[in-house]
């Protein structure tokens, strides 16, 4: 059996500074985060900087960022909200699910295409 690598656990209350509510409302699990052009302030805490550096190459959802940082999603929301307020990150609402196509329309389209032969 292979040994499971040890990982550093950061308690959520440490990453969020003990806060219970994020400053910016509206973050969901699938909110897309991406780095802004602005450099982050030097006084950023370690976890904030890790999130900003993670998002520099491209966009990730809150859930993906949480998995990479090995933090709870709720703690990642706090970090992302702080960085959005500071202007270091941008957040975009998740893409809504597509509506189901009406089967009768597709069937009528198929009938119409078959008659063109």
């Amino acid at each position: 059996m292979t040994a499971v690598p040890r990982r550093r656990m950061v308690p959520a209350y440490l990453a969020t500074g003990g806060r219970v509510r994020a400053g910016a409302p509206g973050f969901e699990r699938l909110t897309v985060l991406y780095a802004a052009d602005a450099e982050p302030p030097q006084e950023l805490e370690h976890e904030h900087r890790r999130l900003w550096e993670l998002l520099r190459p491209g966009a990730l959802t809150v859930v993906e960022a949480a998995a990479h940082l090995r933090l709870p999603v709720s703690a990642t929301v706090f970090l992302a909200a702080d960085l959005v307020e500071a202007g270091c990150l941008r957040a975009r609402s998740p893409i809504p699910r597509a509506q189901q196509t009406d089967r009768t329309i597709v069937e009528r389209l198929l009938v119409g295409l078959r008659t063109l032969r």
Side-chain angles (χ1 to χ4, degrees):
M1 296 188 138
T2 60
V4 176
R6 299 181 93 190
R7 65 179 187 164
R8 189 179 124 251
M9 295 293 290
V10 176
Y13 66 87
L14 288 178
T16 63
R19 295 173 292 167
V20 293
R21 291 210 171 118
F27 279 91
E28 299 176 27
R29 297 168 55 91
L30 296 178
T31 298
V32 178
L33 303 170
Y34 55 97
D37 293 333
E39 284 284 322
Q42 293 300 322
E43 64 272 359
L44 275 183
E45 295 175 19
H46 177 70
E47 299 302 326
H48 288 89
R49 185 162 295 285
R50 283 182 57 213
L51 177 59
W52 183 81
E53 288 174 355
L54 175 67
L55 295 170
R56 250 189 348 193
L60 291 173
T61 62
V62 172
V63 173
E64 292 169 324
H68 283 287
L69 296 173
R70 295 183 175 170
L71 287 172
V73 173
S74 57
T76 306
V77 166
F78 279 91
L79 299 174
D82 291 345
L83 290 173
V84 167
E85 287 178 12
C88 302
L89 288 185
R90 303 263 188 257
R92 181 179 54 77
S93 299
I95 298 171
R97 290 183 162 222
Q99 294 179 343
Q100 292 290 330
T101 305
D102 186 9
R103 184 177 174 93
T104 59
I105 292 174
V106 175
E107 289 171 353
R108 288 185 359 214
L109 177 65
L110 279 172
V111 169
L113 288 173
R114 288 182 183 140
T115 59
L116 290 175
R117 281 197 216 171

